[in-house]
Amino acid sequence: MKTRDRILRVSLDLFNRDGIAQVSTLIIATEMGISPGNLYYHFRGKDEIVATLISELQNSLTTISNEYPKQVQDFDDYWPFMHTIMALFTHYRFLFRNLDTLNGQSPQIKRKIRTLILKLRTLSNDMLAHLISLGKLKCDDKSLPLLADNLLLVSLNWLNYQTLLDDKYSETDLIRAGVLRLISMVEPYLTESAESPFYTHQDLLDELVN
């Protein structure tokens, strides 16, 4: 792996584990066993590392956005995409645990965060609109933006909420619990043709509440 890529991977691991405020470029360099000057050759500070990680996430979301209309033709196809999105949020969880802090940093990071949130908002709305076009969701034009925003709000804050309740969840359990929470919000709007053979309303309740 190239040094630049290693810096990004180690930084992501440290940010996720310790929080962005507690990790400096010196700590990143020490963790990697390289000199601060070597790190600076690739990134001119922590803000540039963070900006690059945000861009990585944005690129992944663009791929999801492009693939979604072609691959989702029924409500059961919606699950894998929600799982992919929640897995991405978990992979880059330092961003969502530190949104306020990051938003108050450099103008570059603030712009990146705003662009990311707007992209997620559009994606949430477009995913629901596509389900409506397939006849799998019944939601009027006034309710759709609110439902899309509520799904995004839960997505952005789910990791913080769940780890406050129990910080011993595995990553797999966190992702599944997040997806089930989102599905439970969409379920009241499903049409009869969207009923799933893989779960019932009671299945959702049992797993979410227990």
Side-chain angles (χ1 to χ4, degrees), residues 4-178:
R4 184 180 187 279
D5 295 331
R6 284 184 58 223
I7 291 170
L8 291 173
R9 296 286 71 77
V10 170
S11 299
L12 179 61
D13 289 342
L14 290 172
F15 293 157
N16 282 341
R17 188 187 72 192
D18 300 330
I20 193 165
Q22 282 69 43
V23 178
S24 64
T25 52
L26 177 60
I27 290 173
I28 295 168
T30 302
E31 181 77 12
M32 293 183 62
I34 63 175
S35 69
N38 193 354
L39 187 149
Y40 189 79
Y41 173 79
H42 296 279
F43 295 99
R44 291 171 296 176
K46 188 166 72 172
D47 280 356
E48 191 169 319
I49 295 173
V50 171
T52 303
L53 291 171
I54 295 173
S55 293
E56 282 186 357
L57 175 56
Q58 288 175 329
N59 291 338
S60 296
L61 290 169
T62 297
T63 300
I64 291 172
S65 181
N66 291 337
E67 291 178 351
Y68 180 80
K70 295 176 288 186
Q71 296 192 18
V72 173
Q73 297 301 318
D74 209 329
F75 185 66
D76 283 328
D77 301 329
Y78 181 74
W79 288 67
F81 277 87
M82 297 308 298
H83 189 280
T84 300
I85 291 170
M86 290 304 289
L88 274 174
F89 282 16
T90 304
H91 186 64
Y92 294 94
R93 56 189 172 274
F94 83 93
L95 288 173
F96 305 102
R97 287 177 173 168
N98 297 271
L99 281 174
D100 286 343
T101 301
L102 289 168
N103 197 47
Q105 289 189 214
S106 70
Q108 178 195 20
I109 298 297
K110 186 172 184 176
R111 286 194 300 271
K112 285 271 188 182
I113 291 294
R114 178 171 173 77
T115 300
L116 173 64
I117 299 303
L118 290 174
K119 188 177 191 67
L120 286 167
R121 191 182 193 191
T122 299
L123 178 59
S124 181
N125 194 88
D126 288 350
M127 290 176 80
L128 293 178
H130 182 65
L131 289 176
I132 291 172
S133 72
L134 294 173
K136 306 301 177 183
L137 205 69
K138 48 187 177 185
C139 188
D140 59 48
D141 291 343
K142 290 184 178 180
S143 301
L144 178 60
L146 180 60
L147 177 59
D149 266 2
N150 285 339
L151 287 169
L152 180 55
L153 282 169
V154 171
S155 300
L156 293 176
N157 294 286
W158 172 249
L159 287 171
N160 282 345
Y161 172 75
Q162 195 62 46
T163 51
L164 282 172
L165 292 177
D166 186 349
D167 62 0
K168 295 181 174 60
Y169 269 79
S170 70
E171 189 166 301
T172 300
D173 288 339
L174 275 173
I175 293 168
R176 177 169 176 79

